[in-house]
Amino acid sequence: MADAPIATPPTLKRALRFRDLTLFYIVSGLSVRWVATAAAAGPSTLVVWLFALVGFFLPLAASVLELSSRYPQEGGLYVWAREAFGDFSGFIAAWMYWMSNLPYFPAVLYFGAGSILFAAGARGHNLSASPVFYMGFAVLWLTAITVLNITGLDMGKRLNNVCSFGSWLPIAILIVLAAVSAMRFGSATAFTRTTLVPHLTLKNAIFWSTIFFAFGGCEAGSFMGEEIENARRVIPRALLAGGSVLAVGYIAGTGSLLVALPGSAVSGVDGFMRGAEQLCTRLGVPWMIAILAVLLALNAVGGAAAFLSSTSRLPFVAGIDRYLPAAFGSIHPRFRTPWVAIGVYGFAGIVVAALGQAGTTVRGAYDVLVAMSIITYFIPYLFVFAAMIRLQKKPAGAEVMRVPGGAKVAVPLAAMGFVTTMLTIVLSVIPPDEEPNKPLAVAKVLISTAVLIGAGAGVFWAARRKGQSGDGPDQRSAPETDA
């Protein structure tokens, strides 16, 4: 009797191509809500955007380009930090990244909920202060995003591709409307040497960190390295194309909004749409309001979808390495997706959406969720830049795409990104002027961050003690399956 054939474990499907990854970078990086946030602070934000572009985004893009070429495996950040500093650093970097994105999901979806209300006119405005509506919008879309990504990356990428229209198209429309408004009525904002100079005060400290926060995200595509066709070649090309749209979109969008409207007209969770509503009414095109509202809702959904799909790959590889329960490393035999990691991560986002809204106003929940994301989101970037510096000592094969100029350019560039990130973290800790108890506010931020790091360390060392972890990279070749 012949031996039964050995079942082949399911593998991840390489479903992402150049167009998909480019649109992923656009939908994950270009969030229209930051245009309104920046414009609300006045013309000096244009200079802040340039600082953020040169001091953070360019070093980050260069680091992602080379590190993803050196290590194109699934997990990206997790693998880079592990290769540079060991398993513990890799796990903590990934832990902080996926934890920081949990409050991001409801925060960005609250923005989408606030925007879509403008498409409903007066009836929609009646819901603008309804916590139930905002939480329901977030929970509904997080559920849909989770299910779509479990059923296959082909489905998940279609959602990202459609939602990418909500990133660049509203800004393109805004630029056209602003040009028409300027020709008819002149600029609503004075752009002078005085107004363009940023003034760093305690009140503006959180704002600076928010602007730098907006340029994050280009590292996320590499988390799906083994689901990208020819990752070494596609990631740099897509990063260049998507990054160009990102930089132009933020700077041109902010400038256009300030040309059309004063900064005071574009603040709040629904700031962009309030400003757009005024602009469309002034120009006699009120029918554009509903179109922009739908596009901005797409932008918010796309941002949540992109980060949920990519970031869920971090607990997936941690499950393969047995630092999380082995089920996290499971690949669905039919859909060929890390379904447990996606499902658990999506459910966690839904729980955070519900808890973040409990007992507070819509605006209060939105502000709290954004504030929770900033510090924990930036800590993993310290690992990225430090890994970029450390790994310059390791030889790179001919197939690896290096930063032009090699280590002589890569090290100073990564060092600049590291210093910029550290300064941004410090600035984000400083409480605003209106905070009545500043020492307590700082202590809360530092303690909550320390608790989060301590929790990650506890999970890691508990896995080590139980013998659940292996030797790291060698575990990657044989993921747990449900077969």
Side-chain angles (χ1 to χ4, degrees), residues 253-267:
T254 301
S256 297
L257 201 54
L258 286 170
V259 166
L261 298 163
S264 58
V266 288
S267 61

Side-chain angles (χ1 to χ4, degrees), residues 192-207:
T192 66
R193 180 178 298 180
T194 301
T195 60
L196 287 171
V197 174
H199 298 284
L200 181 59
T201 64
L202 290 178
K203 186 176 181 179
N204 294 332
I206 293 294
F207 165 72

Side-chain angles (χ1 to χ4, degrees), residues 77-114:
L77 164 72
Y78 175 91
V79 178
W80 307 338
R82 186 186 65 192
E83 292 295 326
F85 304 108
D87 287 6
F88 178 73
S89 294
F91 182 83
I92 288 297
W95 173 270
M96 297 300 286
Y97 195 97
W98 77 59
M99 288 296 172
S100 72
N101 272 287
L102 289 177
Y104 166 80
F105 297 140
V108 72
L109 288 171
Y110 283 2
F111 172 78

